Amino acid sequence: MSTSRPPISFEFFPAKTPEGAARLRTTCQQLAQFRPEFFSVTFGAGGSTQDGTLAAVLDIRNAGHAAAPHLSCIGATREGIRALVQNYKEHGIRHIVALRGDIPSGMVEMGDFRYANELVSFLRAEFGDWFHIEVAAYPEFHPQAPSAEADIRNFVNKVNAGANAAITQYFFNADAYFRFVDAVTARGVSIPVVPGIMPIQNFSQLARFSEMCGAEIPRWLRLRLQAMGDDVASIRAFGLDVVTELCDRLLSNGAPGLHFYTLNSAGAVSTICQRLGY
Ligand SMILES: Cc1cc2nc3c(=O)[nH]c(=O)nc-3n(C[C@H](O)[C@H](O)[C@H](O)COP(=O)(O)OP(=O)(O)OC[C@H]3O[C@@H](n4cnc5c(N)ncnc54)[C@H](O)[C@@H]3O)c2cc1C
């Protein structure tokens, strides 16, 4: 691999079974050849267990790689977060992706944190500079944001609370990313805002995710994918071309790195990384 390429990172969700954990170790081993800066592991997202995050992070580290747990604060107490993060610290973990998390339907008790900026402030107040803190960014704006301007302002507040870097929600429109970076740079943000990249493998799954998280599948892309119906091979081949071109354009125009949503599978992400010269 070329050592001059911008850093990349890979995201996993915790496995639910011992077989899943074994598969994840293999995936991690396959992706390690691209020398990622780190692997991250989601927390409580999509029904995954929260204990699984630490187990997966330790597994990745035992295999000799850098790993960062995600941490969401919605519904949590200060004491709960302090104890969990202290445990991470005692395991020598120094890198966290700090999030609010999605509000579960019917949730009445919000807990001690309303937004991710409050979690970032809490982590800095309690643990100083021990952790490298990543936060989430939304080039196409968070689905609950009242306006683009409010979302940008809230992102800047979150950075000013002490974030070291940001990872974006996935998107297929590079202009949305560059406009977002321009807007936050104009407001004084100088931390890296790393594009989150979602490989295209399955149209109905992608459409479902995108509906939930507010990522837009552009009309031209949706129609092309829909026309392929159940032809998985064509969807994958086309998806690889589209996503590799997106990554190439992002890197050529100054994106500071790439963060891949692997969905715990090495295939498509490996092909994209190879094509990009990693
Ligand atoms: C890279 C990445 C990784 C993720 N990993 C996980 C994971 O592991 N587990 C998981 O459960 N979810 C995860 N998510 C999803 C994330 O938790 C959801 O998108 C969630 O709805 C928002 O989290 P946030 O940290 O961006 O929230 P925030 O930054 O708090 O923003 C949430 C909303 O509140 C608004 N807001 C922020 N501050 C204020 C304020 N002071 N006043 C009024 N409004 C405000 C924002 O504009 C936005 O609309 C991830 C998302 C990304 C992009």
Side-chain angles (χ1 to χ4, degrees), residues 11 41-45 70-72 97-102 114-117 136-138 142 144-146 150-151 154 157-158 167-169 259 261:
E11 181 171 312
V41 183
T42 63
F43 181 81
H70 293 208
L71 173 66
S72 64
V97 184
L99 305 141
R100 183 194 69 177
D102 284 321
R114 286 169 311 157
Y115 300 107
N117 68 303
Y138 300 85
H142 186 268
Q144 284 149 11
D151 209 29
N154 292 332
N157 285 342
K158 187 161 63 171
I167 301 170
T168 77
Q169 184 57 272
H259 177 83
Y261 296 105

Side-chain angles (χ1 to χ4, degrees), residues 66-272:
H70 293 208
L71 173 66
S72 64
C73 60
I74 198 75
T77 60
R78 282 189 174 71
E79 293 68 39
I81 293 285
R82 188 184 291 114
L84 181 64
V85 176
Q86 182 62 33
N87 192 24
Y88 286 153
K89 185 176 175 184
E90 282 162 17
H91 279 94
I93 292 164
R94 302 203 62 162
H95 193 167
I96 279 183
V97 184
L99 305 141
R100 183 194 69 177
D102 284 321
I103 303 172
S105 59
M107 180 182 233
V108 274
E109 206 42 71
M110 290 293 281
D112 288 341
F113 302 90
R114 286 169 311 157
Y115 300 107
N117 68 303
E118 296 171 8
L119 175 62
V120 176
S121 298
F122 180 77
L123 293 176
R124 285 290 176 234
E126 294 279 323
F127 299 95
D129 286 336
W130 178 264
F131 291 103
H132 179 92
I133 301 177
E134 312 256 356
V135 291
Y138 300 85
E140 295 178 328
F141 306 111
H142 186 268
Q144 284 149 11
S147 68
E149 186 52 38
D151 209 29
I152 288 172
R153 210 172 40 240
N154 292 332
F155 175 74
V156 174
N157 285 342
K158 187 161 63 171
V159 173
N160 291 341
N164 300 101
I167 301 170
T168 77
Q169 184 57 272
Y170 69 86
F171 55 87
F172 297 105
N173 181 349
D175 290 332
Y177 168 79
F178 290 117
R179 291 267 175 194
F180 181 83
V181 171
D182 286 349
V184 299
T185 303
R187 287 162 179 79
V189 168
S190 58
I191 62 168
V193 178
V194 176
I197 303 296
M198 179 68 87
I200 299 173
Q201 307 219 65
N202 172 322
F203 176 64
S204 54
Q205 185 190 48
L206 183 71
R208 204 173 56 247
F209 284 171
S210 302
E211 184 64 37
M212 283 188 306
C213 71
E216 190 187 42
I217 306 178
R219 178 181 158 82
W220 66 270
L221 180 55
R222 179 182 291 276
L223 292 179
R224 293 289 295 270
L225 290 168
Q226 272 171 344
M228 291 174 199
D230 294 333
D231 182 353
V232 176
S234 296
I235 291 176
R236 290 192 178 163
F238 177 67
L240 285 171
D241 289 346
V242 168
V243 176
T244 306
E245 269 170 42
L246 172 67
C247 293
D248 200 28
R249 182 160 171 223
L250 291 167
L251 292 177
S252 305
N253 288 281
L258 299 169
H259 177 83
F260 289 92
Y261 296 105
T262 70
L263 304 182
N264 288 9
S265 156
V269 173
S270 296
T271 307
I272 295 167

Side-chain angles (χ1 to χ4, degrees), residues 13-51:
F13 54 84
K16 293 199 181 90
T17 61
E19 297 74 33
R23 273 198 304 276
L24 195 53
R25 279 193 282 275
T26 307
T27 302
C28 182
Q29 216 174 353
Q30 288 165 340
L31 292 174
Q33 64 173 307
F34 300 108
R35 309 240 184 122
E37 190 173 48
F38 64 95
F39 291 90
S40 80
V41 183
T42 63
F43 181 81
S48 64
T49 70
Q50 300 189 339
D51 292 343

